[in-house]
Amino acid sequence: MVRSEPGLQIRFLEYLVVLARERHFGRAAEVCNVTQPTLSAGVAALEEALGVRLVERDRRYLGLTPEGEAALPWAKAILADHLDLRAAISVQPADLAGELRLGVIPAAMPISGALVRNLLRAHPAVTVTLRAMTSREIEVGLLAQEIHAGLTYLNHDQIGRAHV
């Protein structure tokens, strides 16, 4: 049986990820559709549950602590897995649904239209977001789990944790 730490909640991980991206408590709270005190309390509860300070702050956001930087990719991975779990249990086994975020180098954009068209024909409940990106941006996006897949050149070492 897997037991989570007391007070560790998915939404607190979301608060951390959004705060790191927005670099401002008020904007992060707005993105999360909560008040700033609620977001601050959630981050504090996450810090309490993990037993470390994750965010440097005084009256404003100053950045992530080294522990916060170390926790951030794990928080992103947990959130991505949580979304995948919810998508998996919300559809019939033969049906795919959810969002596919795809990074595509500009040279591959013409073929991406055919790929997306065929995917949507087979799975109309899927939504696809295409982003024109450089190969390096695709690599970073995959590692940060900001995109699910990428169409790029492979002229260097394999991307960690990626299926090629």
Side-chain angles (χ1 to χ4, degrees):
M1 179 170 140
V2 177
R3 292 177 24 177
S4 65
E5 295 293 326
L8 184 59
Q9 297 183 27
I10 293 291
R11 69 174 183 227
F12 297 161
L13 295 171
E14 180 183 5
Y15 295 169
L16 177 67
V17 169
V18 173
L19 179 59
R21 184 182 68 226
E22 296 296 322
R23 306 186 55 77
H24 187 273
F25 279 96
R27 285 193 306 268
E30 189 175 313
V31 169
C32 292
N33 293 315
V34 296
T35 64
Q36 187 274 323
T38 298
L39 183 119
S40 295
V43 171
L46 179 61
E47 291 173 327
E48 177 72 23
L50 296 176
V52 295
R53 188 169 196 84
L54 301 170
V55 177
E56 290 290 341
R57 53 186 161 317
D58 56 17
R59 293 183 177 265
R60 60 184 179 86
Y61 175 85
L62 298 175
L64 295 179
T65 64
E67 295 82 4
E69 290 289 346
L72 186 61
W74 290 97
K76 289 178 178 180
I78 291 168
L79 290 172
D81 287 345
H82 180 252
L83 287 173
D84 290 345
L85 169 65
R86 296 197 56 89
I89 62 176
S90 69
V91 296
Q92 297 300 316
D95 297 333
L96 288 180
E99 179 188 19
L100 171 64
R101 293 185 306 269
L102 183 61
V104 181
I105 59 172
M109 275 296 188
I111 191 66
S112 65
L115 173 76
V116 170
R117 190 171 37 259
N118 288 333
L119 174 68
L120 294 178
R121 190 175 298 129
H123 305 285
V126 173
T127 59
V128 179
T129 303
L130 287 178
R131 288 182 51 195
M133 305 171 80
T134 66
S135 292
R136 179 69 181 134
E137 289 170 334
I138 290 172
E139 181 177 359
V140 169
L142 287 169
L143 293 173
Q145 297 190 356
E146 294 168 353
I147 60 173
H148 298 113
L151 296 177
T152 184
Y153 300 110
L154 288 177
N155 56 359
H156 56 283
D157 293 334
Q158 266 193 325
I159 298 169
R161 296 184 0 173
H163 300 282
V164 179

